[in-house]
Amino acid sequence: MKRYLYVVSLIFLIFLASCSNEEHNPAEQLDTYISLWNKNEFMKMYEMLTDEVKAEYAKEDFVDRYEKIYNDLGIENLAISSTELSDKELSKAREEGIVTVPLEVEMDSIAGPIQFTYDITLHLVEEDNEEETKDWYIEWDPGLIFPDLADGGKIKIDVESPRRGEILDRNQMPLAINDIAYEIGVVPSKFESEENEKEQIAALLNMSVNAIDEKLNAAWVEPDHFVPLKIIPKSAEEKISQLLLIPSVTSVETTGRTYPSNKAAAHLTGYIGQITSEEMKKYPEGAYKESDMIGKRGLELFYEDKLRGEEGAKILIIKDNGDKKEETILLAEKSVKNGEHIQISIDVNIQEKIFSSYEGKSGTAAAINPKTGEILALISSPSFDPNELTYGISQSNWDALMNDKEEPFVNRFTATYAPGSVLKPVSAAIGLSNGTIKPEEGITINGLTWGKEGWGDFKVKRVSTTSKPVDLREAIIKSDNIYFAMKAVEMGSDNYIEGLKKFGFGEKLPVSFPFNASQVSNDGKLTDEVLLANTSYGQGEIEVSSLHMALAYTPFLNKGNMIKPSFLQEDKKGEIWVENVISEEDAELMQQYLRDVVTDGTAKAAKDEDFPVSGKTGTAELKVALDTKGHENGWFVGYPTEDQDMLIAMMVEKAENIGSSSFVAGKVLDILKDTK
């Protein structure tokens, strides 16, 4: 029995000894290496290399080379696989202590996909330890990064920037284009009066002398070097001429973004500027570089993805073949994709005419073709110079814009405002549709005020009285608040709100630009009769954008159908947004009344016998509280009576001292005459 136990123990010890000399399976070791590689764990990969490789390549060099190349080339989606070894191949590998396995390597880069096949060799090496174990180690060379690096070479990346798409009007006139610009700089050796010249340059370029000194003191600057300071647009001809009179100043022609309409279309086009760290976080990693320009507002921001395009890139391996001859090997290539042009329905001439008519006053306007729905102009005044913001604005100018009480950065054409009496034709149409209003039926109204029991001290006020019953025509041309308040209360809030919804209130405008939705009230309800009465003539809490106000008049010119706005040039024209808002008969009646407003009513400022215009005035009083006097926003919505091919909804803020709605009506007449 003891002899039997001895034999078993001996066999067990022999088994343990044999196990201690058992090496890893080379396939398992390779799988471990590949797994580390796929996860970019280069430090751990290095530990699996043979001593001979480690002697040739230091750990830091190995790791840094992989990390730099993979980072510079934007390597992602790395996938490495190997051919599975058969039992026969494994047996031979153990016997010979070496095995070579083909690898398939795939990855994505900034220049597109890269894939290659390369052999990897593993050696069975006796480890330096007491157990005298053996293991498999990798015989590495640079060909495992890319095969063409196996016997030397360096990687070069050529990046081609895309041309940003341009923004064009309906006639392909430029709103935002890539035009000649000038990089202004100085050559230090050409200073004749350095401090004086730097002060002149700083004043002309809207930058500080300290900022100029920082650029001049850069480590690379030599006396005869051109030191770039700022890029300015070609349109700044006078400024360029003044700069070039300074002895040290030189200019270099380059390409820049230019906004020919300047302030007139600034809120529409927006502008581009250097991307900020906060903006970079909004996009996938690597989508933008710190030096990239990006849309900041308006169309430049809204259509950034289309306008910017995609960089082209080439990844090259440069090899020295001796005698100063270089061989260039193309590893991967992605063609540049220039940005798409955006063509919109805006007519730049109309845009500039309407903007100029504001003469710096605050307000908003929208011009449309009421038959096709094409948006011809979108105005926000006051404004800012997008060229100045693109090429760098001085701190003092920036502060002036930010502190301006008229808020030039606010985009008024996307905002909503109380419409005042320009809403009355809409209220009339609602009453006609639901039967509350009968055109020939007159209402006897006594005095200048009217209110109901339970309304407390609140009274609806009108501007004039009459001894005759007030019918719909009289109420519209004389803009009678009491008539519309009475009719709104009579029809009730549900019927009135239903009518407003048919005109698109409370709904997002179907246009490919972000507008604020118009509202009926703050909570969307009109359960309070006082609020209902106020709303009927455009006061209360109702708010509408100038574009929506223009669209709300289109049923009168389209047999009762409200036209859908068309903004991009490829948008369909003449589509219906809401069908049968009012009847064709009522639409014709409203056309007549809108003409009568100009000939016999509140819009006589738009009267011109040689150029007939139809429309409606409106004054929205902005009160802080009841029985107080506030600023007045003057409105006019008008169109040429005969052609009916342009309709303008225009609002001027704080117009109480310049004629209010009459002033605006006169402006619209002038614009229509000038344009036609």
Side-chain angles (χ1 to χ4, degrees):
M1 184 68 178
K2 289 181 179 179
R3 181 177 177 82
Y4 172 75
L5 290 172
Y6 172 77
V7 171
V8 170
S9 299
L10 183 61
I11 292 171
F12 182 67
L13 289 171
I14 293 170
F15 173 75
L16 287 176
S18 67
C19 286
S20 67
N21 287 313
E22 181 70 25
E23 74 281 353
H24 286 113
N25 184 320
E28 293 175 353
Q29 193 76 335
L30 181 57
D31 285 345
T32 300
Y33 187 80
I34 288 173
S35 176
L36 295 172
W37 190 356
N38 277 322
K39 293 185 287 187
N40 290 349
E41 295 189 17
F42 306 123
M43 295 279 283
K44 293 180 180 178
M45 286 169 60
Y46 185 81
E47 299 304 324
M48 298 181 70
L49 306 184
T50 64
D51 288 342
E52 290 79 7
V53 172
K54 289 179 179 177
E56 186 173 355
Y57 300 99
K59 180 189 289 187
E60 292 76 13
D61 294 338
F62 176 88
V63 173
D64 289 349
R65 191 170 190 186
Y66 262 111
E67 287 182 344
K68 179 169 174 51
I69 289 174
Y70 278 24
N71 183 62
D72 290 350
L73 303 189
I75 300 300
E76 55 185 19
N77 301 323
L78 182 65
I80 304 117
S81 59
S82 64
T83 304
E84 187 174 348
L85 295 171
S86 66
D87 291 341
K88 184 178 179 181
E89 289 171 322
L90 285 171
S91 178
K92 183 180 179 182
R94 290 191 183 96
E95 182 181 334
E96 297 180 354
I98 187 172
V99 65
T100 298
V101 183
L103 292 182
E104 294 285 342
V105 182
E106 297 180 0
M107 63 187 75
D108 290 329
S109 74
I110 59 172
I114 299 173
Q115 56 185 36
F116 62 85
T117 301
Y118 199 75
D119 290 342
I120 188 169
T121 300
L122 290 85
H123 291 269
L124 183 60
V125 179
E126 186 173 305
E127 297 185 298
D128 186 16
N129 54 38
E130 294 180 359
E131 291 79 14
E132 298 181 352
T133 56
K134 294 181 179 181
D135 211 341
W136 293 91
Y137 287 86
I138 308 296
E139 181 184 324
W140 182 90
D141 69 73
L144 284 164
I145 299 177
F146 297 119
D148 289 307
L149 293 175
D151 54 354
K154 58 184 180 180
I155 292 175
K156 180 184 178 185
I157 305 169
D158 285 344
V159 175
E160 184 179 357
S161 297
R163 284 179 63 84
R164 191 171 181 87
E166 298 182 341
I167 302 173
L168 308 171
D169 87 337
R170 63 189 299 104
N171 301 310
Q172 298 195 1
M173 294 296 289
L175 287 165
I177 58 170
N178 306 310
D179 198 4
I180 293 172
Y182 292 95
E183 188 165 38
I184 303 297
V186 297
V187 177
S189 63
K190 293 186 177 181
F191 277 123
E192 293 180 3
S193 176
E194 183 170 346
E195 294 307 315
N196 183 46
E197 288 178 36
K198 284 193 289 189
E199 287 179 4
Q200 292 180 61
I201 296 166
L204 287 167
L205 292 182
N206 291 323
M207 59 191 303
S208 67
V209 172
N210 286 339
I212 295 174
D213 285 336
E214 281 183 22
K215 294 179 182 292
L216 289 171
N217 293 331
W220 60 270
V221 174
E222 296 290 340
D224 292 326
H225 282 177
F226 171 77
V227 182
L229 298 177
K230 192 174 183 179
I231 297 174
I232 61 176
K234 182 180 70 173
S235 57
E237 295 176 1
E238 185 178 347
K239 184 176 289 188
I240 293 168
S241 298
Q242 290 176 308
L243 283 161
L244 293 179
L245 292 174
I246 301 170
S248 59
V249 172
T250 302
S251 69
V252 176
E253 190 174 297
T254 185
T255 300
R257 196 68 163 175
T258 300
Y259 304 93
S261 293
N262 206 299
K263 293 182 178 182
H267 292 90
L268 179 62
T269 61
Y271 61 94
I272 63 170
Q274 191 166 330
I275 194 168
T276 64
S277 56
E278 290 75 17
E279 288 168 329
M280 288 183 73
K281 292 174 184 176
K282 299 176 184 177
Y283 293 88
E285 188 174 352
Y288 286 87
K289 303 186 297 295
E290 290 181 356
S291 59
D292 283 343
M293 303 290 274
I294 190 173
K296 297 288 186 177
R297 295 173 63 103
L299 291 166
E300 293 279 29
L301 172 60
F302 194 66
Y303 287 103
E304 168 68 15
D305 291 342
K306 283 188 175 183
L307 290 166
R308 71 175 297 232
E310 296 178 14
E311 281 186 340
K314 289 182 182 179
I315 300 174
L316 308 168
I317 293 179
I318 311 298
K319 305 186 74 168
D320 186 357
N321 290 334
D323 297 328
K324 297 183 179 179
K325 291 182 179 179
E326 286 187 342
E327 178 187 4
T328 301
I329 300 167
L330 180 65
L331 182 61
E333 180 178 16
K334 184 180 76 171
S335 298
V336 67
K337 181 182 176 183
N338 290 324
E340 298 178 37
H341 293 336
I342 303 293
Q343 187 176 5
I344 57 178
S345 60
I346 297 294
D347 186 315
V348 68
N349 293 317
I350 298 172
Q351 180 82 17
E352 291 176 357
K353 281 184 175 70
I354 298 177
F355 180 81
S356 296
S357 73
Y358 274 88
E359 299 177 325
K361 297 178 181 66
S362 300
T364 176
I368 65 171
N369 182 321
K371 301 293 187 179
T372 65
E374 293 168 282
I375 302 171
L376 305 175
L378 292 169
I379 307 299
S380 180
S381 177
S383 187
F384 56 89
D385 182 354
N387 294 297
E388 189 177 31
L389 288 166
T390 293
Y391 292 105
I393 186 171
S394 69
Q395 188 62 49
S396 60
N397 285 359
W398 174 260
D399 290 342
L401 285 169
M402 294 301 292
N403 296 326
D404 190 330
K405 293 180 180 178
E406 297 303 319
E407 300 180 298
F409 280 127
V410 171
N411 187 348
R412 287 168 165 81
F413 71 69
T414 60
T416 57
Y417 299 87
S421 294
V422 292
L423 187 71
K424 286 173 181 172
V426 173
S427 296
I430 294 170
L432 288 169
S433 296
N434 63 32
T436 305
I437 294 177
K438 295 177 175 56
E440 306 302 329
E441 183 180 83
I443 302 175
T444 300
I445 303 173
N446 298 314
L448 291 172
T449 63
W450 170 77
K452 287 183 65 177
E453 288 185 18
W455 284 10
D457 295 332
F458 176 77
K459 301 286 185 182
V460 178
K461 298 177 182 178
R462 58 178 179 167
V463 295
S464 62
T465 62
T466 177
S467 58
K468 299 177 182 179
V470 179
D471 60 15
L472 180 58
R473 178 185 179 277
E474 183 76 9
I476 288 178
I477 68 170
K478 295 295 177 63
S479 205
D480 195 316
N481 290 348
I482 295 177
Y483 177 92
F484 287 99
M486 285 180 167
K487 287 299 181 182
V489 170
E490 181 183 340
M491 75 178 74
S493 64
D494 290 344
N495 287 329
Y496 186 66
I497 289 175
E498 183 183 347
L500 287 173
K501 286 181 177 178
K502 282 186 178 181
F503 278 89
F505 279 82
E507 184 179 340
K508 183 180 178 182
L509 292 181
V511 61
S512 49
F513 195 91
F515 282 79
N516 293 340
S518 299
Q519 68 171 38
V520 174
S521 67
N522 295 339
D523 62 5
K525 301 176 183 178
L526 294 173
T527 51
D528 181 350
E529 271 194 347
V530 171
L531 185 58
L532 172 61
N534 266 328
T535 304
S536 69
Y537 50 87
Q539 293 284 170
E541 297 170 355
I542 192 166
E543 289 190 353
V544 60
S545 64
S546 56
L547 176 60
H548 192 174
M549 202 66 253
L551 293 167
Y553 276 52
T554 62
F556 310 145
L557 307 180
N558 290 290
K559 300 180 179 180
N561 299 317
M562 185 155 67
I563 209 75
K564 182 180 179 180
S566 172
F567 182 61
L568 296 176
Q569 195 63 14
E570 64 261 30
D571 290 345
K572 291 182 179 179
K573 315 294 187 288
E575 283 193 306
I576 294 172
W577 177 16
V578 185
E579 195 172 6
N580 298 325
V581 177
I582 58 173
S583 70
E584 186 174 344
E585 181 183 2
D586 289 340
E588 291 178 359
L589 187 65
M590 292 305 301
Q591 281 192 49
Q592 181 58 54
Y593 291 165
L594 292 173
R595 175 59 184 154
D596 292 345
V597 171
V598 177
T599 58
D600 303 321
T602 58
K604 289 180 180 177
K607 185 176 180 179
D608 187 316
E609 298 298 337
D610 298 325
F611 189 83
V613 168
S614 301
K616 180 71 183 78
T617 54
T619 300
E621 190 172 355
L622 310 179
K623 294 183 178 182
V624 177
L626 290 175
D627 298 323
T628 62
K629 190 71 177 174
H631 288 298
E632 293 179 357
N633 290 347
W635 282 86
F636 184 69
V637 181
Y639 59 89
T641 305
E642 296 173 357
D643 291 343
Q644 299 184 357
D645 56 356
M646 187 189 304
L647 186 150
I648 299 175
M650 185 175 189
M651 184 272 282
V652 176
E653 296 178 17
K654 301 176 184 176
E656 62 271 11
N657 295 321
I658 55 174
S660 200
S661 60
S662 294
F663 171 82
V664 184
K667 287 288 185 184
V668 171
L669 171 65
D670 291 342
I671 295 163
L672 290 172
K673 285 176 64 177
D674 190 24
T675 304
K676 299 292 289 181

